[in-house]
Amino acid sequence: LAEAATCPGTKQCQCLFPDRSHCCVYGSNAETGKDYDCTRLCKDATRLLLRGEKEPRKCNAGGAFTCASIITVQDRIPCY
């Protein structure tokens, strides 16, 4: 079995857009599941609707992510 791509300690997956800018964040919770695989979570991630957008925006970076601290993600947009 392959090891899951997780963020040790911080438990925050920051999903990226194809240009490597921030898309949205998954924190460790019931929605992320027990395996907490950031690549799997970010592969189909969509960020919450922002003001001025007519539909939610997909990250579309094939599961690309960075690990972010709890402090960093406080002002970031959640994924779903």
Side-chain angles (χ1 to χ4, degrees), residues 28-65:
S28 179
N29 57 40
E31 185 179 350
T32 58
K34 291 182 181 178
D35 66 347
Y36 199 69
D37 183 334
C38 293
T39 302
R40 179 184 58 79
L41 292 168
C42 291
K43 184 176 181 187
D44 295 317
T46 302
R47 72 178 185 189
L48 292 178
L49 191 65
L50 298 179
R51 187 181 332 177
E53 292 180 335
K54 295 188 191 245
E55 56 186 68
R57 189 169 172 196
K58 290 235 175 242
C59 296
N60 290 326
F65 73 94

Side-chain angles (χ1 to χ4, degrees), residues 64-76:
F65 73 94
T66 60
C67 296
S69 72
I70 292 172
I71 300 296
T72 300
V73 301
Q74 287 182 358
D75 294 329
R76 299 288 159 93

